Amino acid sequence: MKLEAVNASTFKDAVSCFLAHAWGDLADSHWPKIDFDQDRDVVLARFTDECKEGCMRKFSLRLGNRRYPFMKLIFQESLVRDSFFFAVDTHDALDIKETTPDYQEWLAIKDYNCRVKSQVEAEWRKHGVPTLHDILVDVDAADVPDTQLCPVATEPMVMVVDDDLDIAEGARRILSRRGYRVAVFHCAEDALEALPTVRPDLILSDLEMGQGMTGIDFVTKLRALPAWAGTPFFLATAAGIDLSSFEYLDGFLVKPYEIEVLMTFLNQHLESA
């Protein structure tokens, strides 16, 4: 949805749905101190601007939930410049080791956060609040510029690994329309097991993926397998990356990213290869 089409009442609806599922009967006591009868820009000014230099715009409002106070409501661009949507950021991508006390309790909280995210975003779709799904509809309808088409005729296989179903589906649609074959997996464990069958020419992986292996875990194991040690590996993440991990990567994308940036990464790599 274009920014000019979003008004303050859209933000109010988004917050209302979020609090209803995150806090239940405690929703009223967790309303942010924002006057939603004001102009949209005044309301948006109460959000935290998380836009990184050179990246697409992203704004957040920390609303929390019953079990985790750091969950955020996000209003951002992604894939298409000037098209905005709402999302839930669980904000729980922490490096918690299995040896950490209460590790199982932490996994239970992450699972709870994931369920709340799914419920909120499903409720938004029912109420006409724009989500990533709406962006994907626009992506499907848009013409593909010649500059974004795969530069080789062999239809390379791209393995997409992301536990966010909408993001993974978005990558599949984008790449398929641009001359790539695509295999989607929602956890690194399944992707590793499928390597001999899928035989990817390139891998695009998320960093944090639920309770299982991270993208860094994935590429580390990949580099230890002689048959796949040279497979190009791109990491997409909204979080920071340990600099020591760069030796395993062929590149990384900062989320949210534009379609043009994604295709430039992949196409330039294939051309140079």
Side-chain angles (χ1 to χ4, degrees), residues 134-154:
D134 299 288
I135 303 297
L136 297 183
V137 171
D138 293 340
V139 166
D140 280 345
D143 293 331
V144 177
D146 290 343
T147 55
Q148 294 181 18
L149 294 174
C150 179
V152 297
T154 55

Side-chain angles (χ1 to χ4, degrees), residues 73-86:
L73 181 153
I74 301 294
F75 180 68
Q76 68 176 49
E77 298 172 300
S78 184
L79 301 179
V80 181
R81 184 70 69 175
D82 295 326
S83 290
F84 284 82
F85 66 96
F86 290 88

Side-chain angles (χ1 to χ4, degrees), residues 5 12 26 29 49 61 63 151 158 168 179 190 215 217 223 226 233 257 271-272:
K12 185 176 182 180
L26 300 177
S29 62
D49 188 343
L61 184 66
L63 296 175
V158 178
D190 287 348
D217 295 332
R223 297 300 185 227
F233 193 103
Y257 53 77
E271 286 179 322
S272 63

